[in-house]
Amino acid sequence: MIVLVPAYQPGAALPVLVGRLRRADVGSDVVVVDDGSGSAFSGVFDEAAREGATVITHSRNRGKGAALKTGIRDILARFPGHDVVTADADGQHTVHDIQRVADALASDVSHPPTLVLGARAFHGTVPLRSRLGNSVARRLFEIAAGWKVSDTQTGLRGIPADMLPWLLNVPGERFEYETEMLLRLRSAGFEAREVAVDTLYLESNASSHFRPLVDSVRVTAPLVIFAASSLLAFLVDTIALLVLTALTGSLIGSIVGARVLSASVNFVVNRRFVFRRRGRQRLVAQGLGYTTLALLLLGSNVVWMTFLTDLGLPLLAAKVVTETVLAVTSYQVQRRVVFAGRRTGPDGRRRLAPSQERQRSAEAPGDRMDLTIPCRERTP
């Protein structure tokens, strides 16, 4: 097991953590990724190296997700087959909790591979920005993913070795990467479980670079973009519905015509910008899946719109109520079925066996290019 610590402008807590991990013999190695912290922080990383860490440095700040991917590539190259536990550099994660997650990971023999999340309880004295950020992200994640995670932002995660190659293809370079990981986990054929850990903040978490408003939006970006896409489709659908109703006087015919137009717009926007499926790969299958979903939603739309307008609800109000109810269902089905499958990875390709994934990761030209970024490595 390898401990991976992404770090940006860390304090003295980083070398202290590395030293304690090494003295407690937690893991085969500690890999620290300096995410472009700058020369002012070189002393901290030098001390971490003296304490026993392997330090890899980005020449510029690229984000937490990019730092995690750099560390994963290094681990796949130097420690193939090893599980990984990721931890933050700000002192939130104790050696005891890191060991707790590592033990849970080592004892887990379930299939499919399962991500272990070190979940904080957020009881007691917790900085407002941390409590707010997690609360917002947790609720939005539940809506987007359809399953609950009590701590979506935890950086303490136990990752099985078989999951590592897949993580290199998960989109995201900054804080949103860890949320994207969870959003795409089940559709890629993996599972997750939580292990309770302590909620620890040093100096009110002053060293954290998480910005509650900006980064809460960033980590929930897929849902935000989907909402914008749904709003666009709603506007197209509503305008078309009002125009067609005025021209034809037929409610059902107008609903059908408006939905065909708005669904076409929605499919293009969702495929390209929400679920990031580009090119012609699986285009036909996704188009057929989306068409099936659109027909089912259309049937539901007709039933609900007819029912609500018969009750005396104005047409526009009935439209708003109906679309709100169906929007969440539409997102869930598109994410889980239309644009993803249990045997496909986040890039839409067929998932390979773990050994094949490791070989592909080692041979992929894009991965080799990422490994050549300017970096320095210090060893004890």
Side-chain angles (χ1 to χ4, degrees):
M1 190 272 293
I2 311 298
V3 179
L4 172 59
V5 184
Y8 175 63
Q9 298 183 349
L14 175 59
V16 170
L17 173 64
V18 172
R20 289 175 178 173
L21 287 170
R22 300 305 286 162
R23 286 189 290 273
D25 196 26
V26 178
S28 302
D29 197 4
V30 179
V31 176
V32 174
V33 180
D34 171 8
D35 186 29
S37 301
S39 59
F41 294 85
S42 60
V44 177
F45 291 102
D46 287 338
E47 181 62 25
R50 285 192 290 269
E51 290 288 351
T54 298
V55 179
I56 303 172
T57 300
H58 287 170
S59 60
R60 58 180 177 82
N61 177 247
R62 297 171 56 195
K64 187 178 184 181
L68 287 169
K69 290 176 183 177
T70 293
I72 290 171
R73 289 190 184 94
D74 177 75
I75 292 167
L76 284 171
R78 297 195 298 122
F79 302 100
H82 279 61
D83 296 335
V84 173
V85 174
T86 64
D88 291 340
D90 55 11
Q92 286 192 42
H93 304 138
T94 66
V95 172
H96 174 70
D97 283 336
I98 293 172
Q99 184 65 68
R100 186 183 302 176
V101 170
D103 290 342
L105 184 61
S107 64
D108 197 340
V109 294
S110 62
H111 186 80
T114 300
L115 179 72
V116 179
L117 301 172
R120 299 162 291 180
F122 290 94
H123 294 155
T125 304
V126 178
L128 177 61
R129 67 174 181 170
S130 297
R131 189 187 298 274
L132 175 63
N134 187 73
S135 178
V136 171
R138 184 175 67 247
R139 283 167 174 75
L140 288 177
F141 177 85
E142 184 178 346
I143 294 172
W147 54 285
K148 294 182 179 180
V149 176
S150 64
D151 187 1
T152 61
Q153 298 174 26
T154 179
L156 181 55
R157 304 183 177 199
I159 306 172
D162 288 344
M163 193 180 294
L164 294 175
W166 170 73
L167 288 176
L168 294 177
N169 293 319
V170 172
E173 298 297 305
R174 298 188 179 276
F175 284 111
E176 77 277 8
Y177 174 72
E178 290 175 314
T179 300
E180 288 277 9
M181 183 191 307
L182 296 178
L183 284 171
R184 296 167 183 267
L185 192 72
R186 289 188 171 181
S187 64
F190 303 116
E191 293 293 338
R193 71 184 183 97
E194 296 185 323
V195 173
V197 298
D198 295 331
T199 305
L200 178 63
Y201 293 98
L202 302 181
E203 299 176 352
S204 297
N205 205 24
S207 62
S208 174
H209 297 280
F210 187 88
R211 299 160 294 178
L213 180 59
V214 175
D215 290 321
S216 289
V217 171
R218 183 185 293 274
V219 299
T220 55
L223 182 59
V224 172
I225 297 173
F226 180 82
S229 172
S230 297
L231 178 60
L232 174 62
F234 171 78
L235 292 175
V236 172
D237 196 67
T238 301
I239 293 172
L241 174 64
L242 295 175
V243 171
L244 290 174
T245 302
L247 292 176
T248 67
S250 170
L251 176 61
I252 293 179
S254 299
I255 291 174
V256 173
R259 182 49 56 93
V260 169
L261 178 61
S262 65
S264 300
V265 173
N266 190 243
F267 174 76
V268 173
V269 174
N270 284 358
R271 185 175 191 271
R272 182 173 180 82
F273 298 106
V274 179
F275 302 102
R276 304 184 188 186
R277 302 294 189 260
R278 301 182 181 182
R280 296 184 177 181
Q281 189 176 45
R282 301 188 66 240
L283 176 60
V284 174
Q286 291 166 358
L288 290 174
Y290 185 89
T291 300
T292 302
L293 172 63
L295 290 173
L296 292 174
L297 292 176
L298 175 60
S300 298
N301 192 285
V302 170
V303 171
W304 279 103
M305 287 281 290
T306 303
F307 174 73
L308 292 175
T309 52
D310 286 346
L311 288 179
L313 202 64
L315 178 61
L316 188 57
K319 178 69 174 174
V320 172
V321 171
T322 300
E323 293 299 338
T324 300
V325 172
L326 296 180
V328 174
T329 301
S330 176
Y331 179 85
Q332 295 285 356
V333 176
Q334 288 183 58
R335 186 184 62 81
R336 293 187 178 191
V337 180
V338 176
F339 296 105
R342 294 191 65 83
R343 297 306 299 170
T344 58
D347 56 357
R349 292 180 293 182
R350 181 176 60 87
R351 285 190 63 219
L352 303 177
S355 60
Q356 293 174 301
E357 286 277 16
R358 285 194 290 269
Q359 180 179 358
R360 186 182 69 184
S361 176
E363 295 176 351
D367 291 348
R368 288 200 297 270
M369 289 178 63
D370 284 340
L371 282 170
T372 61
I373 59 173
C375 68
R376 67 179 185 277
E377 181 172 317
R378 310 183 189 92
T379 54

